[in-house]
Amino acid sequence: MPVYMLTSERVGRRSIFSPFHPFTFSPLNALFTLSPFPLFTFKRMMNEQDNNNTSRPLGQQEDGEWSDIGIDLFNLQRRNASVTTVGSVTMGGNNPVRVQSMTTTDTNDTEASAAQAERIIQAGGELVRLTTQGKREAENLRNINAALRQKGYDTPLVADVHFNANVADVAALYAEKVRINPGNYVDPGRTFKQLEYTDEEYAEEIKKIDARFVPFLNICRENNTAVRIGVNHGSLSDRIMSRYGDTPAGIVESCMEFLRICKREQFSNVVISIKASNTVVMVQSVRLLVQQMRLEDMNYPLHLGVTEAGEGEDGRIKSAVGIGTLLSDGIGDTIRVSLSEDPEAEIPVARALVDYIEARSGHLPIPAQVAKGFNYTAPERRPTTPVANIGGENLPVVISNRTDKDKVHVVANADQTPDYIYIGRHLPANLSAKRRYIMDYDAYMQLASTNPQAYEQVYPIFPHNAVPFISLVEADVKFLVLQYGANSDEYLACLKHHPEVVVVCMSTHKNKVGDQRALVHELWSAGINNPVVFAQMYRHAAEEKETFQLKAAADMGPLMIDGLTDGIWLMNDGDLPDEEVDATAFGILQAARLRTTKTEYISCPGCGRTLYDLRTTIARIREATKHMKGLKIGIMGCIVNGPGEMADADFGYVGAGPGKVSLYRKKECVERNIDEKDAVEHLLRLIETSLTLNPSPRGEGSD
């Protein structure tokens, strides 16, 4: 290790420094040279934990007490779910996480449906879902099943039922699993009406569910048919909405009403899904459901998905943020990545996501404790003291690498300009007044006194083993690279005395998410309020962009959903352009509802219910609106989830009938039954008119 010899004079913009032996160290190199967990530290922390017996399970109640919900934030452990059998496939327990998709064909078209199901199966799909909007479609499942069996496939088929409980009864005869939606199984479809119930009247509504649901369970029991209780945020009933509001609690209760009947009737062949296009709502709802099931002695397996995720890289990033967060918690027994693309395209994405998370299994233990201020089921942003524009109430920042002096200021999209640029050891020829720069601290020390005014926008970054030198450097903002367990006594003392330091949290641990969570919870428990930026290095070539995006979103998603993030720093050791890396960072922040930098499209993947040419329409709308930063536009194939999911959007485009479209502004339908050929133009005119009257309809977290 290099030896430092420094005088006692402060080093800074207006001070003198005298390094007799300059230290040369790049924080980026630290990402690969730091030990994942120093042995002495590991042993010390394990002994402390054993002696004090202070480890706490997750699940915070209103009174501040903790209840066991079987989730370990730091060590990847699969949630203990019961086993459900769906035809030839078992899920839950120790079974692999199953991946699946859904056809977009007319279920009455046996040949087309069987052919698309075959493509899903060949891509690796382990279950295939088909819409069954009527008895005719439900009955035709028999023919589709027969066509697949004739080709040697035993992949289970899942019937998707909405609005008609009688159809579910029929589908149970011909499908290996039937999905019902609590929002419209007995209750009428969502209209956003506020209903008033006495407790007695509300109890009577529950009895209606019981009277209709039990006979269906009996049919399923007789035919060895599994049941999926599939709650969608976009189709909660007015009854649930009126009592619980548009909240995770309402979503969970909508599910629990049916699960309690399953438990009472001793029907255990059940899978649950809770989905939303909003990743925060989706994650919080599933976590709350896990807690509630634990309280009521249930452990049914869970199906995960971010509904109406969209297409292309946006749909993939959004899905990885939501699904990746729950998989990182050990939650999830089967998943679907809902993309507005060919259904077989969903399978490799889902498979890659599952494989990436599961590769963390068997990692070295991470001895850590949950901070008392953290609420797992409804996390809020960790309180921090702002350092410049980082932390506090500021939007999370994006830091980018630009060590090539000729590319320092290359930005493809002005709305996605990094907040800070890491430049290594050399300043660019011309400093931009609109940029902030991060420089290796030893290079900063050598240059800081030569021209103090030139370095007002330049800030030093320190590796963890340079903590003693932080006090010798004057700067309004300092960055310190830390990894959990690395000499914690030293860095905790330093941070308490240096509120101007921003922690750059990185990890080389096999379970990076757990390791990075552990560091922030340690800071939180110690009363350290310094902001935290999460950094991670990847190694991908340009042709591996999708893989890079999935990994980064899955790694950063949990840290963002947990409210731990004040910034993000993605690095890639490969030929992936810097602008693509930056765009991914901004995309992840937007997917986590933390910062909006572009138009967001909430678009369904399509199914047999879709009432217009979905993909052509999406392409037209995207092209016409891509410049409208901050807007959320819903593009929905039918009415099932349309108005509900679009309640989170500024504008909505919903199939209303064959060749007909209705347009929405928030929850309000403003134009009904427009001819499909004219509907896109009507939508654009609606947006233009609305923006003229209200120039800034913004989504949450917009900047």
Side-chain angles (χ1 to χ4, degrees):
M1 179 180 294
V3 178
Y4 294 92
M5 296 182 66
L6 296 172
T7 63
S8 59
E9 288 96 341
R10 271 192 179 281
V11 178
R13 298 186 174 96
R14 292 167 291 278
S15 60
I16 305 294
F17 72 97
S18 302
F20 295 101
H21 187 88
F23 179 59
T24 56
F25 185 93
S26 170
L28 299 187
N29 294 333
L31 295 173
F32 302 104
T33 58
L34 287 176
S35 166
F37 217 103
L39 183 60
F40 77 90
T41 304
F42 177 82
K43 290 180 177 178
R44 173 177 58 81
M45 295 185 69
M46 286 297 291
N47 289 336
E48 289 177 358
Q49 184 167 302
D50 291 342
N51 293 336
N52 298 330
N53 193 28
T54 55
S55 61
R56 288 178 281 137
L58 281 177
Q60 195 174 31
Q61 308 302 309
E62 292 183 359
D63 61 1
E65 295 297 318
W66 293 78
S67 63
D68 184 4
I69 63 171
I71 303 299
D72 190 332
L73 276 182
F74 313 109
N75 300 282
L76 182 60
Q77 296 178 357
R78 185 91 172 270
R79 169 181 168 265
N80 183 26
S82 59
V83 175
T84 290
T85 301
V86 185
S88 60
V89 173
T90 52
M91 62 182 65
N94 294 320
N95 292 290
V97 177
R98 308 296 187 179
V99 298
Q100 56 181 285
S101 185
M102 183 175 183
T103 62
T104 59
T105 53
D106 182 350
T107 309
N108 288 316
D109 189 335
T110 302
E111 184 178 354
S113 296
Q116 194 173 70
E118 184 176 10
R119 292 194 294 273
I120 293 171
I121 296 166
Q122 290 178 340
E126 296 170 278
L127 296 95
V128 178
R129 183 155 53 109
L130 303 95
T131 186
T132 51
Q133 56 265 53
K135 290 184 179 180
R136 185 182 171 200
E137 288 83 359
E139 290 170 347
N140 200 50
L141 291 175
R142 174 172 51 185
N143 297 323
I144 299 170
N145 229 325
L148 290 170
R149 303 298 176 262
Q150 190 174 8
K151 291 189 174 185
Y153 300 112
D154 63 354
T155 305
L157 299 186
V158 183
D160 193 66
V161 179
H162 295 274
F163 300 114
N164 194 334
N166 295 326
V167 174
D169 296 345
V170 177
L173 304 176
Y174 306 115
E176 282 77 18
K177 181 168 72 174
V178 178
R179 181 270 178 102
I180 64 167
N181 185 341
N184 55 42
Y185 183 74
V186 173
D187 288 314
R190 183 172 181 170
T191 64
F192 301 102
K193 293 180 179 178
Q194 183 65 34
L195 306 175
E196 299 293 335
Y197 295 96
T198 65
D199 290 344
E200 292 77 14
E201 290 170 338
Y202 201 88
E204 287 300 317
E205 295 298 314
I206 303 297
K207 289 181 181 179
K208 292 179 183 178
I209 297 173
D210 195 290
R212 190 62 193 84
F213 189 48
V214 171
F216 168 68
L217 292 181
N218 291 333
I219 295 172
C220 291
R221 199 191 313 267
E222 292 170 7
N223 291 275
N224 295 316
T225 304
V227 175
R228 171 173 150 190
I229 309 298
V231 183
N232 275 15
H233 181 215
S235 54
L236 292 179
S237 68
D238 290 336
R239 175 178 62 83
I240 287 288
M241 290 277 291
S242 297
R243 174 154 291 202
Y244 294 92
D246 193 5
T247 63
I251 296 170
V252 170
E253 184 59 23
S254 181
C255 180
M256 292 300 301
E257 290 176 352
F258 284 74
L259 290 183
R260 292 178 186 120
I261 297 173
C262 290
K263 181 182 179 182
R264 188 197 69 207
E265 296 297 314
Q266 298 183 342
F267 185 93
S268 59
N269 216 26
V270 176
V271 178
I272 308 159
S273 68
I274 287 181
K275 296 187 179 183
S277 64
N278 184 319
T279 55
V280 176
V281 172
M282 175 262 197
V283 170
Q284 290 187 8
S285 299
V286 173
R287 287 176 169 180
L288 188 61
L289 175 67
V290 170
Q291 176 178 294
Q292 190 61 38
M293 283 201 295
R294 186 92 166 188
L295 291 172
E296 299 191 33
D297 195 26
M298 304 176 187
N299 62 340
Y300 302 111
L302 290 166
H303 170 73
L304 307 182
V306 177
T307 192
E308 336 296 4
E311 62 175 356
E313 60 187 54
D314 291 343
R316 285 158 173 78
I317 290 172
K318 194 173 185 180
S319 296
V321 166
I323 298 172
T325 295
L326 292 169
L327 289 176
S328 297
D329 292 353
I331 296 173
D333 304 287
T334 174
I335 74 168
R336 179 197 177 189
V337 175
S338 299
L339 301 175
S340 302
E341 302 174 20
D342 291 331
E344 58 267 29
E346 299 177 348
I347 301 300
V349 181
R351 187 76 270 160
L353 187 55
V354 170
D355 291 347
Y356 181 61
I357 303 294
E358 287 186 339
R360 304 171 186 172
S361 299
H363 62 77
L364 288 174
I366 301 171
Q369 297 177 31
V370 178
K372 289 184 178 180
F374 178 71
N375 187 335
Y376 179 68
T377 57
E380 297 180 353
R381 189 171 178 181
R382 168 179 165 258
T384 58
T385 301
V387 178
N389 65 333
I390 307 176
E393 299 299 319
N394 294 296
L395 296 171
V397 299
V398 171
I399 302 176
S400 178
N401 287 3
R402 294 290 195 276
T403 52
D404 186 338
K405 292 188 291 183
D406 296 329
K407 297 182 179 180
V408 168
H409 298 304
V410 175
V411 177
N413 183 346
D415 291 328
Q416 297 186 339
T417 301
D419 302 280
Y420 291 80
I421 299 173
Y422 172 72
I423 53 176
R425 307 185 57 77
H426 304 285
L427 290 176
N430 297 302
L431 293 178
S432 171
K434 299 180 179 180
R435 302 283 186 270
R436 293 182 173 100
Y437 306 89
I438 300 173
M439 191 176 204
D440 293 351
Y441 89 99
D442 57 318
Y444 177 92
M445 291 164 64
Q446 294 178 37
L447 298 171
S449 64
T450 60
N451 185 358
Q453 299 303 317
Y455 300 99
E456 293 296 329
Q457 303 156 248
V458 184
Y459 307 100
I461 186 166
F462 300 78
H464 79 96
N465 53 359
V467 165
F469 301 93
I470 289 178
S471 61
L472 301 179
V473 177
E474 288 186 359
D476 299 330
V477 182
K478 304 170 187 175
F479 295 87
L480 174 63
V481 180
L482 291 181
Q483 185 173 3
Y484 182 57
N487 219 358
S488 61
D489 292 340
E490 185 179 47
Y491 64 67
L492 289 175
C494 170
L495 294 173
K496 286 182 179 179
H497 289 89
H498 290 281
E500 78 278 10
V501 171
V502 176
V503 174
V504 178
C505 175
M506 48 71 60
S507 177
T508 56
H509 196 279
K510 187 177 182 180
N511 183 14
K512 295 186 290 289
V513 169
D515 197 49
Q516 290 180 302
R517 278 172 160 167
L519 176 66
V520 182
H521 279 267
E522 179 186 52
L523 300 180
W524 199 342
S525 298
I528 303 295
N529 298 321
N530 300 64
V532 175
V533 171
F534 292 104
Q536 200 56 57
M537 174 68 81
Y538 302 90
R539 291 188 173 95
H540 292 289
E543 61 269 21
E544 299 173 314
K545 182 174 76 168
E546 180 178 312
T547 301
F548 162 73
Q549 291 173 331
L550 285 176
K551 289 182 177 181
D555 289 338
M556 295 295 168
L559 307 171
M560 295 180 177
I561 299 292
D562 284 359
L564 308 179
T565 307
D566 299 302
I568 178 173
W569 185 353
L570 301 183
M571 293 165 272
N572 185 64
D573 184 17
D575 60 359
L576 190 64
D578 293 331
E579 299 90 327
E580 295 286 0
V581 176
D582 297 343
T584 299
F586 282 104
I588 294 170
L589 286 170
Q590 181 151 333
R593 293 295 198 266
L594 293 179
R595 183 171 178 177
T596 299
T597 53
K598 60 182 177 180
T599 307
E600 179 177 345
Y601 302 94
I602 302 169
S603 61
C604 74
C607 68
R609 297 177 183 271
T610 302
L611 296 166
Y612 58 86
D613 186 337
L614 183 65
R615 290 177 207 163
T616 300
T617 302
I618 292 173
R620 291 178 63 195
I621 294 174
R622 286 181 70 101
E623 181 61 29
T625 60
K626 62 184 181 181
H627 61 288
M628 298 178 179
K629 175 189 173 185
L631 283 185
K632 294 198 282 288
I633 301 174
I635 310 169
M636 317 298 288
C638 73
I639 202 67
V640 169
N641 293 319
E645 293 297 354
M646 290 187 319
D648 189 45
D650 300 294
F651 302 97
Y653 183 108
V654 182
K660 299 293 184 180
V661 172
S662 293
L663 302 181
Y664 286 74
R665 185 190 296 112
K666 296 291 186 181
K667 299 177 182 179
E668 178 189 5
C669 184
V670 294
E671 291 191 61
R672 300 181 184 274
N673 299 321
I674 308 163
D675 285 341
E676 179 191 348
K677 62 182 176 63
D678 302 319
V680 172
E681 284 71 23
H682 280 243
L683 173 66
L684 298 177
R685 191 159 55 245
L686 172 64
I687 295 173
E688 183 179 351
T689 302
S690 300
L691 292 182
T692 301
L693 298 173
N694 178 18
S696 300
R698 316 282 288 186
E700 67 266 39
S702 59
D703 58 347

